Amino acid sequence: QVPLRESGGGSVRTGGSLRLSCAATPRAFSAYCMLWFRRSPGKEREWVAAVDRGGNSVYSDSVKGRFTVSRDSGKTFLYLQMNNLKPEDTGMYFCGADHGCSGAALQSIGPADWGQGTQVTVTS
């Protein structure tokens, strides 16, 4: 069973909004931290945001004030509300689960623990 499955991506104009969802297995969702990453064209996968079990959230500087990460423990879903989208937000978005909430999680999440991602395209 795939531990994580992302959805909700699409194509929007600059300034638009999207809400991404990540369906997690209970085992994946039991991790201390749930995270969002993205891989923009020509770039490596980068950390975007994270939320811990207590609901405390952290964001990269590039999305702070525009994106909101949340988790629904009852449904084992992770969300990313993205507002005021910019062309540089374009990329494939992935969710992840780890014991830590920082970008270091990129190094500890195993290849089999990634979902397929969901594509976000922002046009000017």
Side-chain angles (χ1 to χ4, degrees), residues 1 7 10 12-14 17 28 35 38 43-44 52 56 58 67 71 73 80 92 94-95 101-102 108 110 112:
Q1 184 179 8
S7 63
V12 297
R13 293 284 186 93
T14 297
S17 298
L35 310 98
R38 68 186 178 193
K43 297 183 179 180
E44 297 292 323
D52 66 20
N56 302 298
V58 287
F67 290 12
R71 59 193 291 168
S73 298
L80 186 67
M92 187 72 77
F94 302 86
C95 58
C101 292
S102 75
S108 60

Side-chain angles (χ1 to χ4, degrees), residues 12-24:
V12 297
R13 293 284 186 93
T14 297
S17 298
L18 284 172
R19 188 191 192 209
L20 305 185
S21 298
C22 170

Side-chain angles (χ1 to χ4, degrees), residues 72-107:
D72 184 334
S73 298
K75 299 179 180 178
T76 65
F77 266 74
L78 176 71
Y79 302 101
L80 186 67
Q81 177 66 44
M82 306 187 297
N83 298 327
N84 191 22
L85 283 161
K86 304 176 181 180
E88 51 264 43
D89 295 318
T90 293
M92 187 72 77
Y93 282 69
F94 302 86
C95 58
D98 197 60
H99 58 273
C101 292
S102 75
L106 273 171
Q107 308 305 319

Side-chain angles (χ1 to χ4, degrees), residues 39-50:
R39 186 172 62 226
S40 300
K43 297 183 179 180
E44 297 292 323
R45 188 156 13 197
E46 64 174 343
W47 173 83
V48 173

